[in-house]
């Protein structure tokens, strides 16, 4: 009688399996071979200390297949946050995914970049905004909206991908030189807050290094400003009879007449219009100009 539904949850979500390569010994009834007994010679697996070539086979991680990745070893080498980020980044949580040791290193490099950004921001002195801040601030608010939406949908892998893009945007801004510490810090704090559910340890440490007394865990979740998210320029594609022929950079809010005029003057479009007549124009605001010709 404690809940008004039969099961102790209202929706069932099944996680996908993580798979990894294991090795069988054909000389021993195709028995599975422990990974520490496998030796790769120019990419070919052999039973260590012998000339017996093994047969690789990908399957779900299982103790019986000796293809389980011990988490303690990864944590000792790369930290718990790296393992958390990679496990969530590897694929949608409801899909099967193949484990990759190189992918773990990629997650570690991403977190290392986030740490380096904090060190770079600490050296900044100016608080004056500059024109380059606009692009980074826009990317920050777009990422806040994107990550918030993706977390609600359990799309953790694409949420982390968006955070990687934001880290690159902040890095590009810092590399430009003469930047604003205030603007860079605001973007960086948003990155840390959005990253915290995936990498709680490193983000708490970096939050403290920024001078905050409380925990990032108890700070407010960032909110996206729809006005600051808007792009000044948009990429509008041009199609001729439904086939992509060109792309144009046009101001946001461009009307159909201007977009069509720009499309008809585009060099790549002109080559496909020779000897043809435009009979209809289809315009999807800010996205597409489709010229129907005959």
């Amino acid at each position: 009688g404690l809940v008004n539904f039969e099961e102790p949850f209202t929706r069932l979500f099944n996680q996908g399996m993580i798979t990894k390569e294991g090795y069988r010994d054909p000389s021993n009834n195709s028995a599975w071979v422990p990974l520490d007994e496998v030796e790769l010679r120019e990419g070919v697996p052999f039973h260590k200390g012998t000339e017996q070539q093994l047969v690789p086979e990908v399957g779900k991680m299982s103790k019986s297949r000796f293809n389980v990745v011990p988490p303690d070893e990864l944590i000792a080498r790369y930290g718990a946050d790296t393992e958390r980020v990679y496990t969530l980044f590897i694929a949608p949580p409801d899909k099967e995914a193949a484990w990759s040791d190189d992918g773990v290193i990629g997650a570690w490099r991403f977190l290392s970049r986030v740490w380096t950004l904090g060190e770079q921001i600490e050296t900044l002195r100016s608080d004056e905004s500059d024109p380059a801040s606009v692009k980074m601030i826009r990317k920050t608010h777009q990422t806040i909206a994107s990550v918030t939406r993706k977390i609600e949908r359990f799309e953790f892998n694409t949420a982390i991908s968006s955070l990687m893009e934001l880290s690159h945007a902040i890095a590009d801004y810092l590399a430009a030189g003469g930047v604003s510490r205030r603007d860079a810090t605001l973007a960086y704090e948003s990155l840390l807050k959005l990253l915290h559910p995936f990498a709680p340890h490193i983000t708490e440490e970096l939050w403290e290094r920024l001078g905050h007394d409380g925990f990032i865990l108890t700070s407010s979740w960032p909110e996206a400003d729809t006005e600051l998210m808007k792009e000044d320029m948009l990429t509008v594609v041009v199609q001729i009879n439904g086939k992509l022929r060109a792309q144009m950079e046009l101001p946001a809010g461009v009307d159909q007449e201007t977009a069509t005029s720009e499309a008809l003057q585009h060099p790549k479009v002109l080559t496909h219009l020779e000897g043809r007549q435009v009979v209809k124009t289809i315009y999807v605001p800010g996205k597409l100009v489709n010229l129907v010709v005959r």
Side-chain angles (χ1 to χ4, degrees):
L2 295 178
V3 293
N4 59 3
F5 44 89
E6 183 177 353
E7 297 286 351
F9 44 79
T10 58
R11 177 171 176 256
L12 174 63
F13 184 89
N14 290 315
Q15 296 177 204
M17 293 289 184
I18 302 295
T19 63
K20 194 178 190 303
E21 198 169 51
Y23 301 92
R24 289 183 180 271
D25 187 344
S27 68
N28 186 22
N29 295 321
S30 294
W32 293 98
V33 179
L35 293 181
D36 59 1
E37 296 180 18
V38 178
E39 182 179 53
L40 294 178
R41 304 173 192 170
E42 296 182 356
V44 179
F46 287 86
H47 209 142
K48 187 178 293 184
T50 74
E51 295 302 317
Q52 178 58 54
Q53 187 171 333
L54 304 177
V55 178
E57 184 177 315
V58 176
K60 68 177 182 179
M61 287 189 182
S62 168
K63 290 182 180 179
S64 63
R65 302 183 183 204
F66 300 108
N67 63 345
V68 174
V69 177
D72 291 345
E73 294 180 12
L74 286 175
I75 292 172
R77 181 177 298 181
Y78 298 111
D81 283 344
T82 294
E83 185 174 1
R84 288 170 60 99
V85 168
Y86 175 65
T87 303
L88 295 172
F89 177 68
I90 189 173
D94 58 332
K95 302 295 183 182
E96 182 179 283
W99 183 270
S100 166
D101 293 335
D102 290 338
V104 177
I105 297 174
W108 177 78
R109 287 174 177 165
F110 163 55
L111 294 179
S112 296
R113 180 168 63 249
V114 173
W115 184 277
T116 301
L117 291 176
E119 293 178 333
Q120 292 176 326
I121 289 174
E122 288 178 5
T123 65
L124 299 178
R125 295 292 178 264
S126 173
D127 281 333
E128 294 296 325
S129 295
D130 65 289
S133 299
V134 175
K135 183 177 180 181
M136 180 189 60
I137 292 171
R138 180 187 303 121
K139 183 65 175 178
T140 300
H141 285 272
Q142 290 173 344
T143 304
I144 293 171
S146 173
V147 171
T148 302
R149 181 175 61 253
K150 289 172 179 177
I151 288 178
E152 291 172 348
R153 297 176 180 175
F154 277 24
E155 298 172 1
F156 303 132
N157 59 316
T158 52
I160 293 173
S161 179
S162 296
L163 293 174
M164 290 178 175
E165 291 180 8
L166 178 57
S167 72
H168 282 297
I170 297 175
D172 291 342
Y173 176 71
L174 295 176
V179 297
S180 165
R181 174 169 182 156
R182 179 188 58 208
D183 293 341
T185 300
L186 289 174
Y188 186 65
E189 287 181 346
S190 295
L191 172 63
L192 294 182
K193 289 182 177 183
L194 297 172
L195 180 59
H196 181 68
F198 308 105
H201 307 92
I202 188 174
T203 49
E204 283 289 7
E205 179 70 19
L206 290 168
W207 185 253
E208 182 179 335
R209 288 179 63 124
L210 287 176
H212 296 285
D213 293 328
F215 291 108
I216 191 173
L217 176 65
T218 57
S219 66
S220 60
W221 187 257
E223 295 185 8
D225 187 322
T226 54
E227 289 300 317
L228 295 177
M229 288 169 57
K230 293 180 179 179
E231 295 280 358
D232 294 330
M233 301 294 291
L234 301 173
T235 300
V236 179
V237 300
V238 183
Q239 296 180 342
I240 298 178
N241 290 344
K243 293 184 178 180
L244 178 63
R245 297 304 184 188
Q247 293 184 342
M248 310 179 296
E249 293 295 321
L250 299 177
V254 61
D255 58 32
Q256 180 172 351
E257 182 179 353
T258 303
T260 302
S261 175
E262 291 291 331
L264 292 172
Q265 298 177 51
H266 197 286
K268 292 184 178 179
V269 174
L270 290 174
T271 59
H272 292 280
L273 292 181
E274 292 180 3
R276 293 173 145 187
Q277 179 184 1
V278 178
V279 295
K280 185 179 180 181
T281 300
I282 301 172
Y283 179 60
V284 179
K287 295 181 178 180
L288 166 73
V289 176
N290 183 23
L291 305 173
V292 182
V293 302
R294 66 183 179 186

